[in-house]
Amino acid sequence: MNKPASARIVDSLREHIIDGLLPPGMQIRQELLAGQFGVSRVPVREALRQLEAEGLVRSELNRGAFVASRSIDEVIEMLEIRIGLEVRALKLALPNLDRKTLQEAQKILKRYDRSTTPQEWRDLNLAFHMCLYRPCNRPRLVKMIEDVMLGTDRFLRTHISATVGREGPQSDHRRLLALCAEGQAAAALRLLEAHIERTKAALMQRAAKTPGAGTGHGAV
């Protein structure tokens, strides 16, 4: 089944923004996008609204849409929001995790083990977490989590993905999956919170080493 035009535009712009091909502050011209995709401006506007919800695009009255930038403090706040949303989703999902879901999550981790680039790590990290959260049966909550994760990916990838690497997060993933499979709910929830806290700590450490990226500074 072919994706709607707005979804194709979202996927393309998101990838270009996360990969840095569209830098922070760059204006996104609706007429150019409409011509590129052979559509009217209606699906372009729908795509830009979706990306704005994800935190990747900002709109300015009478000026148009621009690739968003974030201060370090804003990204840290987004990570704190992730903790609240994701811990709640996992708590609701744990009673519903069946063998099929656990096997799917295990397959994602095996692909993660073979991955070699920050882009692959990002995609597989999202796939793993969403696999565990979907059984919470709260589609709006799951969508909110996905939007916030996508909205922080570019900033985290720019600043810490190469530094943190794969093994630390992947070790957490394997342990989290094991705790979920064993039904150790309290331990799984504590580990999930610590997992995101470690990302936040790595970002804060990187910010401390970057001139001008302290509190209230450093757009990324």
Side-chain angles (χ1 to χ4, degrees), residues 13-25:
L13 284 179
R14 183 192 292 126
E15 194 66 31
H16 281 71
I17 291 171
I18 291 174
D19 287 344
L21 298 176
L22 298 177

Side-chain angles (χ1 to χ4, degrees), residues 20 28 40 52 58 72 80 84 87 117 122 145 159 174 204 213 218 220:
I28 302 172
S40 70
E52 187 169 13
R58 60 180 171 82
I72 297 296
E80 290 170 346
V87 169
T117 67
R122 178 200 77 208
I145 292 170
H159 284 266
R174 285 191 287 264
M204 294 174 70
V220 294

Side-chain angles (χ1 to χ4, degrees), residues 7-214:
R8 290 188 284 110
I9 296 169
V10 166
D11 289 345
S12 177
L13 284 179
R14 183 192 292 126
E15 194 66 31
H16 281 71
I17 291 171
I18 291 174
D19 287 344
L21 298 176
L22 298 177
M26 181 176 179
Q27 186 170 12
I28 302 172
R29 299 190 179 279
Q30 292 188 25
E31 64 274 14
L32 294 181
L33 278 175
Q36 178 184 343
F37 284 88
V39 296
S40 70
R41 293 195 187 187
V42 173
V44 173
R45 287 195 290 268
E46 292 174 356
L48 293 176
R49 282 196 293 269
Q50 172 63 35
L51 291 168
E52 187 169 13
E54 294 178 12
L56 294 174
V57 166
R58 60 180 171 82
S59 296
E60 295 187 12
L61 186 63
N62 299 324
R63 292 195 65 208
F66 298 81
V67 178
S69 60
R70 297 288 185 195
S71 70
I72 297 296
D73 286 350
E74 287 175 317
V75 181
I76 289 171
E77 183 177 10
M78 292 172 78
L79 288 170
E80 290 170 346
I81 291 170
R82 279 187 53 185
I83 290 172
L85 296 177
E86 293 182 46
V87 169
R88 180 60 178 170
L90 184 60
K91 182 176 181 179
L92 293 172
L94 279 166
N96 303 321
L97 291 180
D98 55 18
R99 179 177 297 180
K100 182 180 179 180
T101 301
L102 295 172
Q103 288 175 343
E104 180 183 351
Q106 184 62 49
K107 289 178 181 178
I108 293 170
L109 292 189
K110 288 180 179 179
R111 289 165 56 200
Y112 206 133
D113 284 334
R114 298 191 298 269
S115 64
T116 58
T117 67
Q119 180 177 349
E120 290 176 307
W121 305 339
R122 178 200 77 208
D123 294 343
L124 292 168
N125 176 71
L126 177 63
F128 172 75
H129 282 275
M130 300 312 294
C131 179
L132 293 184
Y133 303 153
R134 285 192 190 97
C136 76
N137 296 323
R138 300 291 192 279
R140 291 182 182 179
L141 175 57
V142 171
K143 184 63 168 62
M144 288 174 67
I145 292 170
E146 186 174 18
D147 287 347
V148 175
M149 290 186 74
L150 290 169
T152 56
D153 274 340
R154 171 166 65 91
F155 312 113
L156 297 178
R157 183 175 173 188
T158 299
H159 284 266
I160 65 171
S161 288
T163 303
V164 172
R166 177 184 59 187
E167 292 309 316
Q170 182 69 329
S171 177
D172 281 352
H173 292 155
R174 285 191 287 264
R175 180 59 181 155
L176 179 61
L177 183 58
L179 291 171
C180 290
E182 294 163 6
Q184 297 191 44
L189 297 175
R190 286 195 300 270
L191 176 57
L192 176 58
E193 180 171 354
H195 176 67
I196 303 173
E197 286 283 1
R198 277 191 277 276
T199 300
K200 188 175 79 170
L203 179 62
M204 294 174 70
Q205 184 179 24
R206 176 64 182 266
K209 296 178 180 179
T210 304

